[in-house]
Every structure is written in C-alpha cells, then in structure tokens.
C-alpha cells in the first residue's frame, strides 16, 4: 500500500483482498486477516481497512460475525434485503433461462438447426451448471 496507484488506499486494499478471495488465496468461509494484521501488512490506517472491508461487505465478498471476525464469501452473496453490485445478476439469469427454453423449442422444430445455435445452447448449459447452488435456488423460487 505504500505505492500510489492513482486511486484511494481503501480501494487498493479492497482490490487486493477481492483478488485474494477470487483466486482462493482466502478461501470461501475462511476468516480474513484481522484489522490489525491488515494494518501491519499494508501500512494502511484503521480507517482505510474499515472502508475496504465495508466495500467488500456491500459487494457480498465478505460477511461479518460479531465477535468472530470477517469471513470470505466466494462466489459473492448478497442478503435478500440488500441492494448492491450483483442485483443485476438474477434478472439476467432469468432472461437467460427463458432464452434457453425458446432456443430449445426452436431447435426442436427445425431439421437443420445451426451448429452455432447448438453451440450457444451448450455454452449456456455449461455456464448455468457452474452457477452456485444459492443462485440456482433463487432462480427456482422466481
């Protein structure tokens, strides 16, 4: 954190922690380093650490448990009542499932379904299979 990269220090720290969570260096469900450890390792102030963790909490990358610590969540999960960066995902996924059904119907009606359409449908199925179960559950409820 000692080098200036053109953005506020809390964003730099949040980017670093987010990348460590995404890469698995901080695995899902594992506690983040303590605030003091983050201060010591980054050279940042307690305010910078607090703001970085707050940002990650708003994005769904971490969840805090009073008296126990702050824990990584990957893929990021938002509480049902929260509004945040990932709120666009559910409507997009719902639209994708509707498109999948329409494409499947169209392909079954034609004898010569294009290889491009079949490949697109297969890519969607593969991507959908990789979604976290929590997302699939929310789609099923919608």
């Amino acid at each position: 954190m000692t080098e200036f990269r053109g953005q506020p220090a809390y964003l730099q720290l949040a980017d670093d922690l987010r990348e460590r969570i995404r890469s698995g260096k901080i695995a899902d469900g594992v506690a983040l380093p303590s605030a003091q450890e983050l201060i010591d390792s980054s050279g940042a102030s307690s305010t910078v650490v607090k703001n970085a963790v707050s940002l990650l909490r708003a994005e769904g990358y971490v969840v805090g448990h009073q008296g126990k610590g702050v824990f990584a969540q990957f893929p990021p999960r938002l509480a049902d009542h929260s509004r945040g960066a990932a709120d666009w995902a559910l409507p997009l996924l719902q639209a994708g499932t509707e498109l999948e059904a329409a494409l499947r119907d169209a392909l079954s009606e034609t004898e010569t379904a294009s290889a491009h359409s079949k490949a697109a449908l297969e890519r969607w199925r593969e991507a959908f299979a990789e979604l976290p179960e929590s997302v699939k559950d929310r789609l099923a409820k919608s």
Side-chain angles (χ1 to χ4, degrees), residues 54-55 57-60 77-91 138:
S54 291
L55 177 60
R57 183 178 287 118
E59 293 175 349
R77 297 178 291 280
L78 296 175
D80 287 337
H81 65 277
S82 70
R83 303 294 303 162
D87 288 344
W88 53 266
L90 192 59
R138 285 188 69 185

Side-chain angles (χ1 to χ4, degrees), residues 14-130:
D15 287 348
D16 177 59
L17 291 170
R18 189 183 306 104
E19 183 53 37
R20 289 166 61 188
I21 292 168
R22 284 180 179 162
S23 70
K25 289 179 183 173
I26 302 176
D28 182 40
V30 171
L32 267 61
S34 71
Q36 189 59 54
E37 290 170 331
L38 289 172
I39 291 167
D40 293 343
S41 66
S42 68
S45 70
S46 61
T47 301
V48 166
V49 170
K50 183 178 180 180
N51 289 342
V53 172
S54 291
L55 177 60
L56 294 176
R57 183 178 287 118
E59 293 175 349
Y61 280 95
V62 300
V63 61
H65 295 289
Q66 187 68 33
K68 296 187 181 194
V70 178
F71 298 85
Q73 294 189 126
F74 193 79
R77 297 178 291 280
L78 296 175
D80 287 337
H81 65 277
S82 70
R83 303 294 303 162
D87 288 344
W88 53 266
L90 192 59
L92 181 65
L93 291 170
Q94 288 168 332
T97 57
E98 292 169 16
L99 284 171
E100 176 194 13
L103 184 55
R104 197 176 328 110
D105 290 345
L107 289 174
S108 67
E109 292 176 6
T110 62
E111 292 291 321
T112 57
S114 75
H116 178 73
S117 297
K118 287 182 180 179
L121 182 57
E122 185 56 33
R123 281 193 305 275
W124 169 257
R125 287 180 180 152
E126 290 170 1
F128 191 84
E130 294 297 318

